[in-house]
Amino acid sequence: MVQISSPSSRRKFLALCGTGAVGALAYRSIGRSDAATIGGANAPFSLTDAAWRKRLSPQAYAVLRQASTEYPFTSPLNTEHRTGIFVCVGCGLPLFSSSTKFDSGTGWPSFYDHLAHALLERADTSSGEERTEARCKRCAGHLGHVFDDGPKPTGLRYCMNGVAMAFHPA
């Protein structure tokens, strides 16, 4: 049995173990068509599927429009430490301030809080367990998930797909 002592090491270990599961979940998510709605209502910013495909890279399309997940430790936003704002790559809505970003050790950009009126959260059971999904409030694009193992003051970890965001330095 492997024994892992620190929370950071445990997170890294779990992230690495989850890489195979991420691929399986990404495959399972292909074809999901609910990304353009928020609780059954149309998103304030919406495009046709063809327009989304033209606007986004294939990987960003898979994440934002099909709720896929990028591989851990692949996003350049993981190492982004300048002052600025992280925005939705789909519609440009400001999502997170750099002042709330922290290194979670999971391989995805993580934040302990989001900007006001930026996110919608909803239950997600697509992985066989109940999680909280975070979506862009303007375009309903899938951004990632929220967990309750983050730092103070919120105790939350907004674990986001870097490919779903762009960074605008201050």
Side-chain angles (χ1 to χ4, degrees):
M1 178 174 193
V2 177
Q3 197 168 32
I4 301 172
S5 57
S6 76
S8 176
S9 295
R10 276 192 292 275
R11 284 190 189 115
K12 286 178 184 176
F13 176 75
L14 291 172
L16 290 174
C17 288
T19 300
V22 167
L25 288 174
Y27 178 79
R28 281 185 62 196
S29 71
I30 300 300
R32 281 180 60 175
S33 60
D34 59 347
T37 63
I38 303 170
N42 288 334
F45 181 93
S46 62
L47 300 172
T48 65
D49 187 63
W52 280 119
R53 286 181 186 274
K54 186 174 180 179
R55 182 183 188 97
L56 302 170
S57 71
Q59 189 179 19
Y61 177 85
V63 170
L64 282 168
R65 308 319 305 165
Q66 297 176 318
S68 186
T69 301
E70 69 187 353
Y71 286 106
F73 303 102
T74 60
S75 173
L77 294 184
N78 258 351
T79 56
E80 179 58 69
H81 300 294
R82 295 175 291 170
T83 300
I85 300 292
F86 294 84
V87 303
C88 175
V89 77
C91 68
L93 182 68
L95 303 169
F96 298 96
S97 167
S98 61
S99 65
T100 64
K101 187 173 187 285
F102 70 99
D103 182 6
S104 66
T106 61
W108 289 279
S110 298
F111 306 84
Y112 64 79
D113 204 359
H114 60 85
L115 296 173
H117 311 292
L119 302 183
L120 293 166
E121 297 176 10
R122 68 181 194 177
D124 174 10
T125 57
S126 65
S127 69
E129 63 179 319
E130 182 145 343
R131 302 180 294 174
T132 302
E133 178 186 23
R135 287 184 175 249
C136 173
K137 191 169 186 174
R138 184 183 292 157
C139 71
H142 171 80
L143 299 168
H145 291 89
V146 186
F147 302 95
D148 63 0
D149 61 356
K152 292 181 180 180
T154 65
L156 298 175
R157 174 173 52 98
Y158 289 84
C159 188
M160 302 292 102
N161 287 282
V163 72
M165 298 183 298
F167 178 73
H168 294 173

